[in-house]
Amino acid sequence: MIGSVATRKKNSPKFHAYYEDLCELHNVMPLRMITSQKQKDILDICADRIKYDELFPITKALACDRSLCFIAIRSRCQVKYVHHNFYGKRRSNVRHRPLIHTDFGMNVVINALKKCLMRTTVLTHLILEGLYFTKNNLSLLCTGLSNCSSIQNISFHQSIIGDDGCQLICDAVKKLRNVHSLNISACDIGQSGGYCISQLLKYQQLERYSETWKDALRYRIVDVDRMPGIRRVSINNNPHLGDAGLMYLVECLKDDLWLKAIDLQNCGITNQGAQEILKLLKVNTILTVVDIRKNHDVNGDLLNAIKKQLAENSSRNVEDTQEKWIITDFPSGYLLRLKDLGS
């Protein structure tokens, strides 16, 4: 039996309850991968299997939601462009392409996400994995993101955003005080993206220095570890970053007292870049992890010297250990460590 309008209105801020109401209203079978998460206040879906009729209840419920603390939309189908010719249910021209990788599908999902981000006060994790973003879609998403004060951990792992998209994300995130970690691994980021990330970190540095100065003037004890802001940046598998992009980050981090970990696996770093990292670690003793594994042009002896210096840095930080920050797997290992970031 279809619920009343009053019931649906009452359920609208609660994703799972409203989703089931909408499925019943539109005569669509609720997806098991969504209903199985009902008791957890999370939405973690692989969007590749979602059909046209199944998309509306999901996005409508998402747009009205104020209950989810974790949202993950993933795609395992890697594409390098979105299909712009999609006409409703007539999908013969995109038969072998998931709906999420069409212009229509992404527009519907991103619009719903934007509305959710602007409404919610409880969402802490946003994971968008393996998606292709146009500039317009990403701009729309970043508008919602910049208004979400509760967000703590953001991941665009394996999503195609490029340097322009990196700039949009960094501009949206820089004023969000509660964000602890940003994962833009395998996002086709190059030298310009490295500059954008450095500007994000510099902006937060200035904000933190301002707060430190205010506390000092009031004769308060300044605890830098409890100040808000980004603690981890993951830029793995962006081989176009190179030494040139790395240098922007190195220069920025020489004066940084807050960032604990930066992941740079397979980022096109050579011995020259590794030497700069080693010099950085002798100046910045706060950094506990600088992960440059899988950069095959880095000499083994130089890599061991960096590990040794990191171990020394870690030993000076009583409350921090390398094990707390090291990540061995992406993205699942990334999520397993998120609870540590707020400590």
Side-chain angles (χ1 to χ4, degrees):
M1 181 178 176
I2 297 176
S4 66
V5 174
T7 302
R8 291 199 300 274
K9 187 175 181 179
K10 182 181 177 181
N11 288 339
S12 62
K14 302 173 184 177
F15 174 83
H16 287 287
Y18 195 35
Y19 170 69
E20 291 183 358
D21 287 345
L22 290 169
C23 285
E24 191 173 17
L25 181 66
H26 294 277
N27 197 25
V28 176
M29 180 67 69
L31 296 176
R32 182 178 175 79
M33 64 177 170
I34 295 178
T35 56
S36 63
Q37 303 163 3
K38 186 175 180 179
Q39 304 302 321
K40 302 176 184 178
D41 284 332
I42 68 172
L43 175 66
D44 191 343
I45 57 174
C46 179
D48 294 339
R49 298 180 180 179
I50 295 175
K51 300 174 184 176
Y52 178 85
D53 291 333
E54 298 166 338
L55 185 64
F56 175 78
I58 298 171
T59 54
K60 178 66 174 176
L62 185 59
C64 298
D65 176 68
R66 294 183 183 179
S67 66
L68 296 173
C69 62
F70 181 106
I71 295 176
I73 300 175
R74 313 176 193 270
S75 173
R76 308 301 183 199
C77 177
Q78 296 297 305
V79 300
K80 295 185 178 180
Y81 65 96
V82 294
H83 202 292
H84 297 285
N85 297 318
F86 181 86
Y87 305 100
K89 297 182 181 180
R90 297 178 58 190
R91 298 194 59 219
S92 58
N93 55 340
V94 288
R95 185 172 299 146
H96 302 293
R97 177 178 292 270
L99 182 60
I100 193 66
H101 290 300
T102 64
D103 203 23
F104 170 81
M106 277 296 287
N107 283 339
V108 173
V109 169
I110 296 302
N111 271 287
L113 268 176
K114 178 199 170 187
K115 292 176 182 177
C116 175
L117 287 166
M118 297 188 80
R119 288 170 181 263
T120 185
T121 57
V122 298
L123 181 66
T124 57
H125 297 68
L126 178 63
I127 316 295
L128 301 173
E129 181 184 332
L131 305 181
Y132 184 99
F133 288 91
T134 63
K135 188 173 181 179
N136 289 339
N137 280 336
L138 196 55
S139 296
L140 203 63
L141 178 68
C142 287
T143 300
L145 194 59
S146 63
N147 287 280
C148 184
S149 59
S150 63
I151 198 77
Q152 295 179 11
N153 303 287
I154 304 168
S155 175
F156 286 87
H157 181 71
Q158 289 187 335
S159 293
I160 306 300
I161 60 174
D163 288 336
D164 291 340
C166 183
Q167 182 175 358
L168 289 171
I169 292 168
C170 289
D171 288 343
V173 168
K174 68 181 182 181
K175 294 184 180 180
L176 297 178
R177 296 167 56 85
N178 289 325
V179 174
H180 297 314
S181 66
L182 176 64
N183 183 1
I184 43 177
S185 300
C187 289
D188 196 27
I189 292 170
Q191 178 181 343
S192 298
Y195 175 76
C196 295
I197 298 166
S198 71
Q199 294 302 110
L200 161 64
L201 297 176
K202 278 183 181 179
Y203 182 90
Q204 293 211 342
Q205 279 178 33
L206 292 172
E207 290 291 304
R208 286 158 164 167
Y209 277 127
S210 176
E211 286 196 25
T212 302
W213 179 247
K214 289 177 183 177
D215 285 344
L217 288 175
R218 294 167 183 164
Y219 300 99
R220 294 176 180 173
I221 296 174
V222 179
D223 187 352
V224 295
D225 287 329
R226 297 200 177 275
M227 285 191 174
I230 293 177
R231 301 292 184 179
R232 167 170 238 127
V233 177
S234 299
I235 323 173
N236 292 342
N237 299 317
N238 287 293
H240 299 301
L241 181 71
D243 290 340
L246 174 68
M247 284 307 300
Y248 291 121
L249 298 170
V250 168
E251 288 299 318
C252 168
L253 293 174
K254 285 179 180 177
D255 299 319
D256 193 286
L257 300 175
W258 294 273
L259 194 75
K260 296 290 186 181
I262 183 166
D263 303 293
L264 294 160
Q265 294 183 31
N266 186 28
C267 283
I269 298 170
T270 66
N271 285 335
Q272 181 182 353
Q275 286 281 6
E276 295 298 326
I277 289 174
L278 187 57
K279 293 177 185 176
L280 166 68
L281 293 174
K282 292 177 180 179
V283 176
N284 184 334
T285 58
I286 302 299
L287 272 170
T288 306
V289 169
V290 179
D291 189 351
I292 59 169
R293 290 174 294 172
K294 300 182 183 178
N295 288 285
H296 303 296
D297 291 330
V298 176
N299 183 277
D301 293 337
L302 192 54
L303 189 60
N304 288 332
I306 290 172
K307 289 179 180 178
K308 183 179 178 181
Q309 186 63 49
L310 283 168
E312 289 181 18
N313 288 2
S314 183
S315 66
R316 293 174 188 173
N317 298 319
V318 179
E319 295 183 358
D320 275 324
T321 61
Q322 281 187 305
E323 287 76 15
K324 176 178 174 179
W325 297 97
I326 287 175
I327 293 172
T328 57
D329 184 33
F330 274 84
S332 57
Y334 178 81
L335 294 178
L336 288 173
R337 300 289 183 177
L338 291 178
K339 59 183 176 62
D340 296 325
L341 294 170
S343 61

